[in-house]
Amino acid sequence: MPQPTVEGSSRTGTVTVREAVLDLLRSFRMTKIFGNPGSTELPLFLDFPNDFSYVLGLQESVVVGMADGYAQATHNASFVNLHSAAGVGHAMGNIFTAYRNRTPMVITAGQQARSILPFEPFLFSGQATELPKPYVKWSVEPARAEDVPLAIARAYYLAMMPPRGPILVSIPADDWGVQTEPVVPRHVSTSIRPDPALLAKLGDELDACKRPAFVIGAAVDRDQAWEETISLAERHNARVYVAPMSGRCGFPENHRLFAGFLPAIREEIVKRLRGHDLVFVIGAPAFTYHIEGHGPHLPPGAELFQLIDDPTTATWTPEGTSILSSIRLGLVDLLARNARPQRPLPEPRPTIPRAEPPVEGNRMSVAYALQTLHEVRDPRSIVVEEAPSSRSAVQAHLPIVNSETFFTMCSGGLGHGMPAAVGVALAKPDSRVIAVIGDGSAMYSIQALHSAARLKLPITFVVLNNERYAALQDFAPVFGFKPGARPQGTDLAQLDFVELAKGHGVQAIRVNRALDLRDVLTQALRSSAPMLVEIEVG
Ligand SMILES: Cc1ncc(C[n+]2csc(CCOP(=O)(O)OP(=O)(O)O)c2C)c(N)n1
Ligand SMILES: [Mg+2]
């Protein structure tokens, strides 16, 4: 993790709360403030320092989504400033997502001045620390103005401590000008080394088993453990699966050992893992389910081991051995063992058939659109995805082959992808970011387009417009709807993404003929400004 510059403040004596907080933010490398301002926050911005920048989101879900993408891409907590109760309320969906994503974030929320709080003033937040619970790791309104800098320091260390996540600090408007002591930043270790005895047991079992399976979760990529995972999988000739609903990619999807994606369904997982005698889950829950299931969690004869940096997740894992550890450090310790088990290579994954272009007069398939995108994009470009019914087509036709080049949310809460793409692009100015977004998903935080335009970020927004909430229509039979039935509220029409983009200051083009797609995408991927491509899909 980035370490704070512990030389810290050169100030002596007393400083204002504002000065003490800004000094801390500098030392934590948090000089971008993601926010949407209100009167209760304005005092923070008095004499706004030149070395800080303000990243405006036109709605708080956009603010937090951008801060999430930025924090994930920089491996450091992002700093967010929200407007008291209503601002936190708007942000809540993406705060929930940041919590599930394990994204470190220090969120400050404005509060009315302390002296008028007894009189329930306009805009005050009645129970400011309760509002974001339970989707923050900690929330506090310091008892005294003088304690605000200490709360910010603790918020940062705690946000960065695994499992990482958002923290909320509520700050009354009159606190910023109060005199206080400067806070000296500290080194706080955030890595955990595994218990050696348990790790040796896992190592022995891994060496002795016949058909190991690895199940890779988002924490592998978050902890920059991609290389170690490949080395360990190759040493063991293990089949490598992606954990259900993983928000990141931790293994090259074109690797000889790659075996595909586990669905979030208990019986299906058991079926896919059948024949393996050891299942090693790395940096993921075992397992995330989406629909009700029954029976065993693993196939007969399989033993489960889990390497996990989250104690809570370790406690609900239904069977086997959970080893608490930073993911990379755990893998490094496993790789340090001498044994080189001799095991044949498993059968390769069957090749995925190419998607066909549409027959004349029909809309093109999502698979065809994504295959074309795959053919024209640089494999080092970064994909941020939020297109629920297209997920399996993304997995089949848009393979991810490099670390830190795939982001989606682990929460299931829509409205994250568009602003997260902006945050990732802000953090990675030398990379091309491609946001692959469903038409429905785009509308939860469409204002992200405005931030992309304002920041002049060359993001390619690809909107897959099927004029409906297809995922819900596809899902309906699980709840007893007749096949083909369209549940209430799932048809969307008349959304014009070209006009919406233009209205936010972003160039846009619509593609409805498969023949045009390659050229349009090629052009969009070369653009030095943000560009939206709306693709009419079936
Ligand atoms: C905040 C939020 N509200 C509602 C849902 C329920 N939901 C799940 S998928 C989906 C449809 C998404 O539509 P779209 O982005 O067009 O993708 P498609 O299903 O058409 O691929 C909805 C509304 C959700 N996941 N999150
Ligand atoms: Mg749709």
Side-chain angles (χ1 to χ4, degrees):
M1 76 176 249
Q3 290 296 329
T5 30
V6 284
E7 296 81 47
S9 171
S10 54
R11 299 176 203 277
T12 49
T14 63
V15 292
T16 62
V17 166
R18 181 187 310 106
E19 288 164 339
V21 168
L22 292 175
D23 273 353
L24 277 173
L25 297 184
R26 283 188 185 99
S27 66
F28 298 145
R29 297 186 185 84
M30 294 200 293
T31 53
K32 285 203 192 313
I33 302 181
F34 294 87
N36 185 264
S39 52
T40 51
E41 296 82 68
L42 287 182
L44 168 59
F45 305 124
L46 200 68
D47 303 325
F48 193 76
N50 289 334
D51 57 332
F52 279 65
S53 55
Y54 188 82
V55 183
L56 173 67
L58 299 184
Q59 211 268 13
E60 285 83 353
S61 75
V62 175
V63 172
V64 174
M66 291 192 297
D68 186 317
Y70 188 76
Q72 289 199 58
T74 56
H75 308 282
N76 193 27
S78 47
F79 185 77
V80 173
N81 185 249
L82 302 177
H83 190 39
S84 54
V88 176
H90 285 164
M92 207 54 224
N94 272 336
I95 293 176
F96 168 67
T97 288
Y99 185 77
R100 288 273 185 262
N101 283 355
R102 313 294 192 218
T103 301
M105 200 179 284
V106 176
I107 303 170
T108 52
Q111 171 65 299
Q112 267 294 5
R114 289 176 192 265
S115 61
I116 53 171
L117 284 179
F119 311 112
E120 301 224 344
F122 191 57
L123 291 175
F124 95 118
S125 188
Q127 295 186 43
T129 58
E130 293 303 306
L131 186 56
K133 287 179 184 171
Y135 299 116
V136 286
K137 291 178 69 181
W138 182 52
S139 61
V140 64
E141 189 172 278
R144 303 181 310 158
E146 292 87 327
D147 302 330
V148 167
L150 274 174
I152 295 287
R154 180 171 173 197
Y156 176 75
Y157 306 132
L158 191 55
M160 293 295 285
M161 188 70 69
R164 292 179 172 184
I167 312 280
L168 183 124
V169 186
S170 167
I171 306 176
D174 54 338
D175 283 6
W176 293 104
V178 170
Q179 293 289 311
T180 188
E181 294 287 321
V183 173
V184 179
R186 307 185 302 121
H187 281 300
V188 179
S189 166
T190 56
S191 5
I192 312 161
R193 199 108 201 197
D195 177 319
L198 271 185
L199 194 95
K201 175 169 147 53
L202 162 61
D204 291 344
E205 302 268 350
L206 258 178
D207 293 343
C209 71
K210 291 209 162 52
R211 293 198 64 211
F214 287 5
V215 177
I216 307 297
V220 167
D221 201 38
R222 279 203 298 265
D223 208 25
Q224 297 172 280
W226 180 285
E227 291 306 325
E228 290 78 5
T229 305
I230 296 172
S231 299
L232 196 72
E234 288 176 352
R235 174 182 296 185
H236 288 282
N237 273 342
R239 273 214 162 116
V240 181
Y241 301 83
V242 173
M245 301 292 186
S246 181
R248 304 270 295 252
C249 169
F251 197 79
E253 295 170 12
N254 58 354
H255 193 282
R256 170 72 176 75
L257 293 169
F258 185 64
F261 301 83
L262 293 181
I265 307 169
R266 194 195 295 202
E267 289 86 346
E268 283 299 315
I269 293 172
V270 170
K271 212 185 279 175
R272 299 276 177 100
L273 295 179
R274 189 160 291 153
H276 291 291
D277 54 350
L278 187 145
V279 175
F280 181 27
V281 179
I282 310 173
F287 297 101
T288 303
Y289 299 133
H290 186 190
I291 57 174
E292 198 179 7
H294 303 281
H297 299 272
L298 283 176
E303 192 176 354
L304 177 71
F305 282 88
Q306 181 184 44
L307 190 73
I308 189 82
D309 56 2
D310 176 359
T312 305
T313 304
T315 60
W316 63 255
T317 299
E319 57 183 270
T321 305
S322 295
I323 303 177
L324 193 64
S325 169
S326 296
I327 303 306
R328 208 181 61 77
L329 290 182
L331 295 173
V332 164
D333 282 355
L334 282 170
L335 286 167
R337 294 168 53 90
N338 286 327
R340 299 282 182 281
Q342 295 300 312
R343 231 177 248 132
L345 266 175
E347 283 297 299
R349 187 178 177 224
T351 40
I352 295 165
R354 280 182 63 77
E356 295 299 326
V359 287
E360 190 62 31
N362 281 6
R363 288 168 85 112
M364 76 185 96
S365 66
V366 171
Y368 181 79
L370 293 173
Q371 176 177 285
T372 308
L373 176 61
H374 165 64
E375 286 165 1
V376 299
R377 81 162 180 129
D378 181 332
R380 287 162 306 175
S381 57
I382 300 171
V383 175
V384 181
E385 180 257 328
E386 188 174 291
S389 76
S390 303
R391 175 67 68 84
S392 53
V394 170
Q395 292 169 347
H397 298 286
L398 194 62
I400 305 297
V401 296
N402 288 297
S403 62
E404 300 187 53
T405 61
F406 180 76
F407 298 86
T408 187
M409 40 61 186
C410 297
S411 66
L414 301 177
H416 172 263
M418 272 203 145
V422 177
V424 172
L426 196 57
K428 305 256 187 190
D430 299 328
S431 298
R432 168 66 54 173
V433 173
I434 305 168
V436 176
I437 312 283
D439 52 333
S441 299
M443 293 310 297
Y444 289 81
S445 42
I446 190 82
Q447 306 93 322
L449 291 172
H450 177 82
S451 299
R454 202 183 157 93
L455 295 162
K456 301 189 173 60
L457 296 169
I459 303 167
T460 309
F461 293 96
V462 176
V463 174
L464 299 171
N465 191 353
N466 55 11
E467 300 187 351
R468 59 203 180 100
Y469 287 155
L472 299 183
Q473 295 176 352
D474 296 350
F475 208 69
V478 173
F479 290 115
F481 285 77
K482 293 203 177 74
R486 298 191 153 208
Q488 295 301 304
T490 59
D491 281 317
L492 310 176
Q494 288 155 348
L495 286 168
D496 184 333
F497 288 93
V498 172
E499 291 303 319
L500 280 163
K502 286 183 184 162
H504 287 86
V506 170
Q507 285 181 15
I509 185 161
R510 179 177 299 111
V511 182
N512 48 25
R513 294 192 326 157
L515 278 177
D516 301 332
L517 185 60
R518 178 176 296 267
D519 286 349
V520 170
L521 286 174
T522 305
Q523 182 200 335
L525 289 169
R526 283 199 197 121
S527 171
S528 57
M531 194 161 165
L532 184 144
V533 180
E534 176 182 352
I535 309 179
E536 291 185 1
V537 290

